[in-house]
Amino acid sequence: DGVSLLDLTIEGLGFERIGHSASINQQFKGGFDGNGVTIQIELLKTTTDYLGLFGYLGQNAEVKNIEITGKVHGRNYVGALAGEVNGASISNIFNHAEVLGTRYVGGLIGLSKNSNINSIYNMANVTAISRDIGGIIGYSQTSTISKVFNFGHIKGTQVVGGIVGYLYNANNVSYVYNRGMVEGTTTAT
């Protein structure tokens, strides 16, 4: 091994996210062990959904042992690690990449369903112009979230959280904490 930094921002490389969309034949469903490598990304595609190092992680995908740096700017379903995860296992992922989007935006994962998320953290700012914005996950449904923390500044309009923006339907959350500022710009009347 011996690789400590994988720079995917090199001019001419043309890196595209892994697992482009929710379409069954475009999901990533395999295993990815980064073995502690730092991956530097710069994905600036403000009209693109399912944006991150992985666009969509499908059933039985397993991703672990990665640190992410750089910038990810997309539209909906945006996270430094993945735009959406469904039926996946995620562990030992650390984010230092700035994340910007519209809706379903998280420091690591935009939207999570039926997934196990363990031992991850976010240190970067997360900004969105709509709802379902979180330091770790923007929107989570029936997932297990354990041993995670956020230090980044999280800003959206509504349904904004330090760990998860919107927890819906039978999530199991344990051993989490937030030290970042959480800011919602919409006020109730």
Side-chain angles (χ1 to χ4, degrees):
D1 293 351
V3 175
S4 60
L5 174 65
L6 178 59
D7 187 351
L8 299 178
T9 67
I10 296 170
E11 191 173 329
L13 184 62
F15 172 75
E16 283 290 331
R17 65 204 182 274
I18 304 164
H20 287 241
S21 75
S23 298
I24 196 74
N25 62 350
Q26 294 189 346
Q27 301 173 13
F28 180 81
K29 295 183 178 183
F32 189 100
D33 184 344
N35 200 26
V37 71
T38 297
I39 299 176
Q40 185 172 344
I41 58 177
E42 187 167 291
L43 297 169
L44 308 176
K45 300 178 179 222
T46 57
T47 59
T48 301
D49 294 338
Y50 300 104
L51 196 62
L53 178 61
F54 295 86
Y56 193 101
L57 292 170
Q59 286 295 324
N60 301 314
E62 182 179 1
V63 178
K64 60 186 178 179
N65 304 321
I66 303 169
E67 182 172 349
I68 302 167
T69 63
K71 297 177 184 175
V72 179
H73 299 184
R75 187 171 58 185
N76 300 318
Y77 307 97
V78 180
L81 178 68
E84 183 170 338
V85 299
N86 189 348
S89 292
I90 312 294
S91 62
N92 298 319
I93 308 293
F94 314 116
N95 181 50
H96 296 270
E98 170 187 275
V99 179
L100 280 86
T102 301
R103 186 170 184 190
Y104 305 119
V105 179
L108 283 117
I109 299 165
L111 188 146
S112 173
K113 294 182 198 169
N114 310 310
S115 294
N116 291 310
I117 294 139
N118 184 43
S119 299
I120 63 177
Y121 70 73
N122 176 56
M123 300 295 284
N125 294 340
V126 178
T127 306
I129 58 171
S130 187
R131 54 174 286 160
D132 304 322
I133 316 306
I136 303 297
I137 303 166
Y139 178 103
S140 182
Q141 179 177 336
T142 57
S143 292
T144 298
I145 303 161
S146 179
K147 299 176 188 166
V148 305
F149 69 87
N150 172 61
F151 272 26
H153 180 161
I154 312 307
K155 183 177 180 180
T157 54
Q158 58 185 342
V159 194
V160 182
I163 301 299
V164 179
Y166 188 15
L167 280 169
Y168 176 76
N169 193 25
N171 288 274
N172 184 353
V173 180
S174 61
Y175 304 106
V176 304
Y177 71 94
N178 175 63
R179 291 208 43 203
M181 178 185 280
V182 178
E183 185 178 352
T185 59
T186 300
T187 58
T189 55

